[in-house]
Amino acid sequence: MLEKIPAPTPREELHVLVIDNQGLVHDVVTSALYEVGIKNVSSAFNAFHAKRLCVARQYDFVLLSFNVSHDKDGFHLFEELKHLNHINDTTTVIFLSAETSSELVNCIVELQPDDFWVKPLQRSKINTRLEYLIQVRFKLHKMVHCMQMGDYSTAMYYAERQLKDPSLSEFHPKIRRLIGDCLLQLRDYKTAENYFRKLLQGIDHAWVHIGLTRALLRQDKLEEAQLLVDNLLQRSDTRFLTFDLLAQYFVEKEQFDIAYAQMKEASKLAPRNIERNKRLWDLARLNHDKVGQLNAVQNMAKFAKNSIHDSPQLTLNVIRSTIDLATSLGSADGDRYIKRAESELEELKQQKGMQSQLGEQIDVIRARVLCLRDDKKGAEELVKDLSVSIDGLSMEDSLDKMKAFHELGMREQCVSILDKLRKQIEGDSLTSQVVSEFLNQESIERTEIQFTPKELKQMAAVNYKENRLAPAYNNLHQAFTLSPKDKQVALSLLKVIAQIHLNDYLTEEQLKLAQESARLLLESDLSPAQAEKLDQYINQLGIEVEGTNAGELVGVLTAKAI
C-alpha cells in the first residue's frame, strides 16, 4: 500500500517572495502573480531584507535576481537561503538575470533552479511560465514528493501513470526526465541505458545525452561512451556537463591525473562554484600542481567574498598555497612569492581580532616563511611550544603545522600529525576519496623524503658540481616526486641522467624517469635555450617520447581502458 501523501498547497494559499533591486521587476511580477490567482506576494530589494522576510515565514516560490544588491549577488544569497533551509526541496525557485553569458548560465544550471527568466521580463511569457510552474506543483505533486523523500520506486510508479494521461502531455518532458533521474538514483544502469536510448529516438535534449553517457560509464561501456563524449564536448549545451561527468568518473576510477584535467575544464566554464574549486584544489595538490593549487584557492577566496563561505581561513589558505609554491621554486621566483605571502599575512594580521583568533596558525605560517628565508633558528623558536595535537584544528591547519615540522627536519612530529589526520579521515564517511588519497601520498612522501624541493635542488647542484652523479640523481628524483610539474627539475634530471649514460648503462627506473621528464618538457613552454638542451639530452639518451596535450580529450576513455 502506498504511503499517504499530503495534498499540495492550494493556489490561493501559496506565498511568493520576489528578490530584486529594480522596482519595475516587482511591479511586473506581482501583477502577473495576481492575475494567476496568487495574492500572497512579498518584495525584497536587497539580501538583508530577503533574509529577514524568510525568517518570518517559509515561501513556496522564490524569484531571485542575480544582481540583488551591491554586497551580495544572487548566487551567494541562494546558497545562504538553502543553508538556512529557507529554500528547500519543496520551494519553486526562479532565477532572474539580464546577463546570459555561458559562464553565468552554466553556474545557474548548477544551482538547479526550477526556471530561469531573462530580463527585461515579458509579461506574456511570465504568465505562461508561472501557470506552468504552478501546474507542476499540483499535477506532479505526488511524484515530486516521493523523489524528495528518496522513494524513487514510488516516484516512478506515479510518473508512469501520468505519462498515460493525455491531459498532462505538456508536462511529459519533465516527467520523462524525472524517471531517468530515478533510474540513475536506483543504480539500475542497464534499464537507464535502454530508457535514454529510446528517448533519443525523439528527443535531442542535453539531459538525455548526459543521462545515457552516465549510464554507459557506470557499466564501463567505454567505447560507446567515448563516441558520445566526443560529440557532447562539441555542443555548447552539453560541454560543461560532460567535463563534470568525466571528472567524477575518473575520480571514482582513481585516475586522478585525468580527473584533474576534466575538472580544470569544467571550472573554466563555471568558475563560481566554491565546492568545485575545493575539489579542483584537492586534485591539484594530489597531482603536485602547485600553480594550479594556488589558482584554485584564489578563485575560492574571490568568489566566496560576502558569501556564507567567506572566512579568514580562505585568506590563510591562499597564503599557505603561495608558500607551497615558493618551496618548489628557485631563489629569484621563490623570493617573489615569499614577499607576496608576507604581505598578505601582514594585511590579515592588521584586521581586527585576527592575531588573537589565528595566533597559532599565523605563527606556523611565519615559521614556514623563515625556513624559506634560511632562518631555521628563528623558525624553531616559533614552533618550539607547538604540540602535535590537532584537536579543534581544520585539516588545513593540521597540514600546515605538519609542513612546518617537516621543513624544520622534525620528522617525528611531522609523521605523528599525519598519522592522526589519517585516523581522523578513516572515521569520516563524508571525506572525499581525493582527500584520502592525498593524505596517503603525503604520508609516504613526508616519511621517505626529508627535504623540500628547494633544498633538494640546491643539494643536487652541489653534488653535480663535485661530479657525484648518483647522489645528484637521487636528490633530483626526490625533487621530481614532490614537484612533477617543475620544468627546471625535469631539465636538470635529464642532464644528470644523460651524464650517467655516458659512463654506464641506465636502469629501467632511470630510463622511465628520463621519458617522464622529457614528456613534461615537450608539453611545456620552453625558452630557445631550454628547447635546445632538451633536444640535446633526448638525442644523447636515444629515447623516443610522444608528447600529449593535456587539454585533448578525444579518446581519453578508451585510451585509459587500454
Side-chain angles (χ1 to χ4, degrees):
M1 183 176 177
L2 294 175
E3 181 184 351
K4 185 172 176 59
I5 294 172
T9 305
R11 179 184 299 228
E12 61 274 11
E13 295 179 20
L14 291 172
H15 283 76
V16 178
L17 174 60
V18 182
I19 311 169
D20 197 289
N21 61 1
Q22 297 176 333
L24 180 61
V25 170
H26 289 272
D27 293 341
V28 172
V29 172
T30 301
S31 175
L33 286 164
Y34 272 59
E35 195 168 308
V36 297
I38 297 176
K39 310 296 183 185
N40 302 312
V41 184
S42 301
S43 293
F45 288 83
N46 56 55
F48 176 77
H49 189 201
K51 287 186 286 183
R52 288 285 298 273
L53 289 171
C54 287
V55 168
R57 71 161 305 105
Q58 192 81 30
Y59 288 93
D60 303 291
F61 277 74
V62 173
L63 284 78
L64 175 60
S65 174
F66 171 62
N67 298 311
V68 66
S69 62
H70 295 298
D71 64 330
K72 191 184 293 287
D73 66 30
F75 292 100
H76 294 153
L77 183 57
F78 181 90
E79 286 187 316
E80 192 163 350
L81 294 179
K82 283 191 74 172
H83 177 73
L84 297 169
N85 202 37
H86 297 321
I87 288 176
N88 56 36
D89 289 339
T90 66
T91 312
T92 299
V93 179
I94 302 167
F95 227 93
L96 314 174
S97 178
E99 187 183 337
T100 57
S101 68
S102 59
E103 290 84 1
L104 179 76
V105 172
N106 286 332
C107 291
I108 289 174
V109 165
E110 282 203 282
L111 295 176
Q112 295 185 327
D114 295 272
D115 215 349
F116 175 36
W117 295 356
V118 178
K119 297 180 186 179
L121 302 177
Q122 296 181 32
R123 178 61 182 274
S124 60
K125 289 186 178 180
I126 291 177
N127 287 54
T128 303
R129 293 308 299 169
L130 277 174
E131 190 60 47
Y132 174 81
L133 292 168
I134 292 167
Q135 290 302 316
V136 166
R137 290 182 69 92
F138 284 101
K139 297 188 175 182
L140 308 187
H141 173 70
K142 291 182 179 180
M143 177 184 64
V144 173
H145 174 82
C146 291
M147 286 197 70
Q148 290 163 351
M149 300 300 293
D151 186 357
Y152 302 110
S153 297
T154 306
M156 288 177 62
Y157 165 79
Y158 284 119
E160 285 162 359
R161 287 180 62 187
Q162 288 172 319
L163 283 177
K164 296 174 183 175
D165 185 346
S167 69
L168 295 177
S169 58
E170 181 185 5
F171 308 104
H172 284 182
K174 187 173 183 67
I175 295 170
R176 291 190 180 98
R177 182 169 186 172
L178 292 175
I179 290 174
D181 291 342
C182 287
L183 288 170
L184 291 171
Q185 289 287 350
L186 290 167
R187 301 185 181 183
D188 188 355
Y189 300 122
K190 182 60 183 175
T191 304
E193 176 193 343
N194 294 333
Y195 176 75
F196 287 119
R197 283 189 194 284
K198 187 175 180 181
L199 286 182
L200 275 177
Q201 294 174 12
I203 301 176
D204 189 42
H205 293 167
W207 63 266
V208 185
H209 292 275
I210 294 294
L212 177 56
T213 307
R214 190 184 300 276
L216 290 170
L217 288 175
R218 288 293 185 177
Q219 299 173 85
D220 286 324
K221 295 184 175 180
L222 301 187
E223 288 192 14
E224 186 174 358
Q226 181 68 63
L227 294 174
L228 281 170
V229 164
D230 295 344
N231 179 53
L232 296 178
L233 288 175
Q234 305 303 315
R235 290 177 50 156
S236 59
D237 62 334
T238 54
R239 186 173 172 79
F240 159 67
L241 296 169
T242 305
F243 279 127
D244 218 31
L245 179 60
L246 287 171
Q248 294 169 23
Y249 171 79
F250 284 114
V251 165
E252 289 167 6
K253 294 298 182 182
E254 299 186 1
Q255 294 173 347
F256 300 111
D257 55 338
I258 304 298
Y260 180 42
Q262 318 310 308
M263 191 70 77
K264 282 193 287 187
E265 296 298 330
S267 293
K268 290 176 190 174
L269 295 170
R272 304 182 66 92
N273 186 289
I274 301 298
E275 286 304 314
R276 174 174 293 100
N277 278 308
K278 177 66 171 68
R279 294 195 295 273
L280 186 65
W281 179 27
D282 289 334
L283 283 166
R285 293 193 292 192
L286 185 56
N287 284 280
H288 296 93
D289 184 357
K290 292 185 168 55
V291 173
Q293 175 185 328
L294 179 57
N295 289 338
V297 291
Q298 285 174 330
N299 273 341
M300 287 171 66
K302 173 184 174 182
F303 291 117
K305 198 161 184 65
N306 298 320
S307 79
I308 56 171
H309 303 286
D310 200 0
S311 80
Q313 284 293 326
L314 288 175
T315 304
L316 280 178
N317 290 338
V318 170
I319 298 169
R320 289 162 173 164
S321 294
T322 304
I323 294 171
D324 288 343
L325 178 55
T327 61
S328 68
L329 299 172
S331 298
D333 290 335
D335 189 59
R336 182 161 51 91
Y337 285 103
I338 295 169
K339 287 178 179 175
R340 185 193 296 182
E342 289 174 323
S343 174
E344 290 172 348
L345 183 62
E346 194 57 39
E347 284 181 25
L348 182 63
K349 285 165 60 181
Q350 296 304 317
Q351 295 178 27
K352 188 176 179 180
M354 284 298 109
Q355 182 65 54
S356 57
Q357 181 184 337
L358 304 171
E360 181 177 295
Q361 291 98 315
I362 288 174
D363 284 343
V364 169
I365 288 174
R366 287 175 59 210
R368 296 191 64 199
V369 169
L370 288 173
C371 281
L372 284 167
R373 295 289 191 199
D374 294 325
D375 183 4
K376 293 207 170 182
K377 189 173 181 180
E380 286 168 356
E381 186 65 25
L382 280 171
V383 303
K384 67 178 182 180
D385 295 325
L386 288 184
S387 73
V388 294
S389 170
I390 61 172
D391 293 341
L393 296 182
S394 70
M395 192 182 83
E396 300 311 324
D397 293 338
S398 303
L399 281 172
D400 212 38
K401 190 192 286 191
M402 177 275 294
K403 290 172 186 174
F405 284 136
H406 180 263
E407 287 155 10
L408 282 166
M410 302 169 73
R411 182 173 175 276
E412 186 178 331
Q413 292 91 327
C414 167
V415 172
S416 175
I417 290 176
L418 274 170
D419 287 343
K420 287 182 171 69
L421 271 174
R422 290 177 69 190
K423 287 174 184 174
Q424 197 177 78
I425 292 298
E426 286 169 6
D428 183 0
S429 60
L430 297 178
T431 299
S432 77
Q433 184 180 359
V434 177
V435 173
S436 180
E437 182 66 22
F438 170 68
L439 284 179
N440 287 336
Q441 184 186 84
E442 283 286 290
S443 295
I444 295 169
E445 292 177 358
R446 301 283 174 174
T447 302
E448 295 180 357
I449 302 174
Q450 307 298 313
F451 305 98
T452 67
K454 180 181 176 182
E455 290 170 329
L456 289 164
K457 285 190 276 189
Q458 290 170 343
M459 293 161 65
V462 172
N463 281 320
Y464 184 80
K465 188 176 180 180
E466 297 296 327
N467 202 33
R468 295 191 291 265
L469 297 181
Y473 167 78
N474 290 333
N475 296 149
L476 291 169
H477 187 181
Q478 290 186 339
F480 196 60
T481 300
L482 295 175
S483 300
K485 308 294 183 184
D486 191 317
K487 294 186 293 185
Q488 192 55 54
V489 171
L491 201 58
S492 298
L493 196 50
L494 274 177
K495 178 181 179 180
V496 171
I497 293 173
Q499 195 65 32
I500 292 172
H501 183 53
L502 290 175
N503 306 319
D504 204 350
Y505 288 109
L506 295 178
T507 65
E508 187 175 331
E509 176 197 75
Q510 289 169 335
L511 188 59
K512 182 180 177 183
L513 207 53
Q515 290 171 325
E516 287 178 15
S517 301
R519 185 176 296 111
L520 169 69
L521 292 165
L522 285 170
E523 295 169 359
S524 305
D525 291 327
L526 302 178
S527 68
Q530 288 174 324
E532 186 179 342
K533 286 182 180 179
L534 173 60
D535 289 340
Q536 176 189 331
Y537 299 145
I538 287 176
N539 289 332
Q540 284 179 356
L541 291 166
I543 56 176
E544 291 184 7
V545 185
E546 290 184 5
T548 59
N549 184 347
E552 181 61 55
L553 300 171
V554 177
V556 72
L557 292 165
T558 49
K560 277 292 172 181
I562 293 169

